[in-house]
Amino acid sequence: MSKHYAVFGSPITHSQSPRIHAAFAKQTGIGMDYVAIEANHDDFRAKLDASGVVGANITLPLKEDAFALCAGNVSARALRAGAVNTVLRDGAQWRGDNTDGLGLVRDLTERHGLDLRGRRTLLLGAGGAARGVAPALLDAGIHSLYVINRNSARADALVDAMGEPGRTHARAWDTLPALGEFDLLINATSASRGGQLPSLAMALVAPRSVAVDLSYGEAAVPFLAWARAAGCAQTVDGLGMLVEQAAESFLLWHGVRPDTGAVFAELSGRADALLTAD
């Protein structure tokens, strides 16, 4: 019998997660169904409990809600992040993990061939998405991490949670022009989902800079267009990260890590795609 899984968030109609997990299930021969469920802060817990799923992915804006829902029953990496993107039913409770950071680092280093070591890094945003990737970036060897958020208290809280005051720094948005050049610039805000991009100084970009948007599709266009105009050497959207974090979630649920190359190729529309697009 197929077990039930889902992704919860808002907006959720654009999500590629059902397609990704369907491909993983077909590849591994595991019986499962996976759907997208619209949920917000006020109804997330009720919809999760009523859904009948044994596992779920959590996306914007619910990753910190999911952390609170798991009430301390979380992995070490989720505890460090203060955010959960993957849950697994644990009796009457939920157990939480966070695969975002591992997914991002795996995509950047293995798929795009980037050496993250020694990179001065700018992280725009301090919500659940930013919290998920910050610990993994530090563990991957970046030189320093500057966290910028319009709500400075949230940036301060993220930096404090990392426990590395010599490498992590919270800064106000209006200080951006004075911060100098960054080797890695990551957009973890949701602002560009509405086609709006906060003002960014082109002086932030160095000759070898890489710009990454944790969103994909149309939501990633404004930031990556700015990055190319500013002279970034490389731009990367969040599709590869999405596939890689999904594979880690699949591993947690089923004990098998699927091959991500074919699925990424299909979703990205590459000519060498090994799966047939629907």
Side-chain angles (χ1 to χ4, degrees):
M1 291 181 62
S2 294
K3 292 184 177 181
H4 305 300
Y5 297 84
V7 57
F8 291 81
S10 181
I12 203 65
T13 55
H14 72 285
S15 178
Q16 293 291 332
S17 290
R19 188 173 179 180
I20 292 170
H21 282 279
F24 288 164
K26 181 178 180 180
Q27 180 190 120
T28 58
I30 291 174
M32 64 178 290
D33 63 70
Y34 187 111
V35 298
I37 298 176
E38 182 82 16
N40 249 304
H41 300 293
D42 56 349
D43 60 5
F44 167 51
R45 178 62 188 260
K47 287 189 173 182
L48 177 64
D49 288 341
S51 65
V53 301
V54 296
N57 288 125
I58 314 299
T59 188
L60 293 173
L62 301 172
K63 294 180 182 184
E64 291 169 277
D65 299 65
F67 180 82
L69 178 150
C70 292
N73 188 15
V74 297
S75 68
R77 58 191 177 189
L79 180 62
R80 189 177 175 199
V84 160
N85 83 324
T86 304
V87 297
L88 177 65
R89 192 177 289 278
D90 186 10
Q93 304 298 318
W94 294 97
R95 177 157 49 90
D97 204 340
N98 197 307
T99 65
D100 279 338
L102 182 58
L104 175 64
V105 170
R106 191 184 295 273
D107 179 53
L108 294 181
T109 59
E110 298 185 10
R111 179 168 291 113
H112 297 284
L114 297 178
D115 186 350
L116 299 180
R117 293 173 297 178
R119 289 183 181 263
R120 189 170 188 258
T121 302
L122 177 67
L123 180 61
L124 301 174
R131 282 182 163 270
V133 301
L137 291 167
L138 292 166
D139 291 346
I142 63 170
H143 174 272
S144 53
L145 182 69
Y146 287 76
V147 181
I148 311 297
N149 195 64
R150 291 199 180 281
N151 182 334
S152 59
R154 287 177 65 80
D156 290 337
L158 190 161
V159 166
D160 289 345
M162 295 303 100
E164 297 194 43
R167 296 175 66 202
T168 56
H169 315 277
R171 294 289 186 269
W173 200 280
D174 60 9
T175 68
L176 268 173
L179 293 182
E181 297 177 341
F182 289 90
D183 307 302
L184 181 63
L185 302 95
I186 300 175
N187 181 30
T189 72
S190 59
S192 57
R193 284 176 176 253
Q196 302 297 316
L197 181 69
S199 178
L200 297 171
M202 290 192 175
L204 296 169
V205 173
R208 74 164 189 150
S209 292
V210 176
V212 180
D213 198 309
L214 300 190
S215 297
Y216 58 92
E218 291 185 6
V221 169
F223 177 71
L224 297 185
W226 168 84
R228 285 189 288 269
C232 279
Q234 188 172 352
T235 58
V236 179
D237 72 7
L239 182 62
M241 170 187 166
L242 178 71
V243 174
E244 296 300 332
Q245 65 80 22
E248 294 301 322
S249 296
F250 195 91
L251 174 62
L252 290 170
W253 296 330
H254 305 293
V256 178
R257 192 182 194 282
D259 172 49
T260 58
V263 179
F264 176 77
E266 176 192 10
L267 293 177
S268 62
R270 290 184 177 179
D272 60 350
L274 302 180
L275 299 176
T276 302
D278 58 19

